[in-house]
Amino acid sequence: MADPELSPAPARRNRLFAVVLTVLGFGAAIGGLGVLLDRDSSSDPGVPPVTGERVALTFGATAQPFAPDRVCDVYVVPVDGRSEGLAARLARALPRRVPVRACVTPSFRLDLAALDHRREQLDGVVVADQLSLAFQMARGIAPATVLGVTALDMYSSTFAADSFDFGVAKRFPQNQGFAAIATARMGVDEDLFRRLEVMAMRYVGLLYFGLPESSSPTSALAPSIRSLEELDLLQPQFSVPPPSATELMAARKAFLSKK
């Protein structure tokens, strides 16, 4: 069933959470995933196709970017070598906006199972799965939010009719959240970083603080982001004025207490 906190507003039922049951290395203790997609239905012939050769040229440094003794609230993971600088900048920016300990990890060596050779795109569902498995192998079921950032184009096999996705996220019952964000269609320079920051704040709000989606047309928690134009309407904040650090910490505490 859909997670009620992350379900779309009644007028926007066309964007849904698909609940997926999975068994990872920790067995039945970990399962029941909610999948959140932010997607655009239009294609862009100017976006380079993702091939095995292109993935290999941008391989990250390690298949295990998470250190067992490094504790952060939000882990920002470059999913390819090209995204290392963006991920580091994002990890510095997030604590200026919300009360989280954010850290950047070494770049993640993506397994080629995440590549859909027919579509020439990464499957964001598989990317999120690979991040979750790597994290849980290092940190078990410790509560945390992991944001993967890739420069490669991405779609979701859960909603395969859509031509691409800006982001895919999953939430585990143990208050772990994993998101993959693709910057391939976000432009360049400051425009790209602003759009990335909006998507990152969106997933921090939904997955770390457990906030509901917002009816505000400029909130990063808006019910859906279906185009680059809609993404550009949003600000990297949850509301106007933004909630205080005290309010956000109370939201986090309440979120962790839920069963």
Side-chain angles (χ1 to χ4, degrees):
M1 63 181 179
D3 187 321
E5 285 194 340
L6 299 180
S7 296
R12 307 299 292 273
R13 293 295 183 188
N14 53 347
R15 186 174 63 79
L16 302 175
F17 275 96
V19 174
V20 183
L21 294 180
T22 187
V23 178
L24 300 174
F26 295 95
I30 298 175
L33 307 180
V35 179
L36 170 64
L37 305 173
D38 290 293
R39 58 191 184 271
D40 190 313
S41 59
S42 63
S43 60
D44 184 349
V47 175
V50 183
T51 63
E53 293 77 10
R54 188 159 178 248
V55 173
L57 287 172
T58 61
F59 263 150
T62 176
Q64 181 47 276
F66 304 103
D69 57 351
R70 190 181 190 190
V71 180
C72 306
D73 298 326
V74 177
Y75 299 80
V76 183
V77 185
V79 181
D80 48 67
R82 287 181 54 195
S83 299
E84 289 174 347
L86 269 179
R89 183 180 175 187
L90 181 61
R92 293 192 300 269
L94 287 174
R96 300 186 191 119
R97 294 192 176 275
V98 289
V100 296
R101 293 170 297 169
C103 59
V104 65
T105 73
S107 53
F108 180 54
R109 181 178 288 268
L110 197 66
D111 189 284
L112 284 176
L115 172 61
D116 186 316
H117 292 273
R118 181 183 62 83
R119 292 184 58 134
E120 296 186 316
Q121 292 173 298
L122 296 182
D123 182 350
V125 173
V126 181
V127 175
D129 282 343
Q130 291 187 15
L131 288 169
S132 66
L133 182 57
F135 181 83
Q136 289 159 354
M137 289 180 66
R139 299 280 300 142
I141 59 172
T145 295
V146 174
L147 306 178
V149 179
T150 179
L152 302 174
D153 198 27
M154 187 174 73
Y155 87 109
S156 168
S157 54
T158 304
F159 288 85
D162 295 307
S163 60
F164 72 90
D165 294 287
F166 291 125
V168 177
K170 292 185 173 185
R171 189 166 69 194
F172 283 73
Q174 291 82 4
N175 296 311
Q176 292 180 335
F178 301 90
I181 303 172
T183 62
R185 299 172 188 256
M186 291 187 182
V188 296
D189 302 329
E190 291 306 307
D191 285 341
L192 185 156
F193 186 75
R194 176 175 48 79
R195 292 160 178 161
L196 170 62
E197 195 174 14
V198 168
M199 292 301 299
M201 284 288 288
R202 175 176 181 78
Y203 291 134
V204 168
L206 295 172
L207 301 176
Y208 183 80
F209 291 110
L211 300 177
E213 290 181 328
S214 171
S215 60
S216 169
T218 62
S219 169
L221 301 175
S224 67
I225 304 171
R226 306 189 65 83
S227 69
L228 199 60
E229 291 74 20
E230 288 188 359
L231 181 56
D232 282 342
L233 293 176
L234 308 183
Q235 299 296 319
Q237 59 189 35
F238 303 141
S239 61
V240 179
S244 67
T246 300
E247 291 170 328
L248 288 174
M249 293 307 296
R252 174 65 174 170
K253 183 177 180 180
F255 180 52
L256 289 175
S257 69
K258 291 181 179 179
K259 301 298 183 182

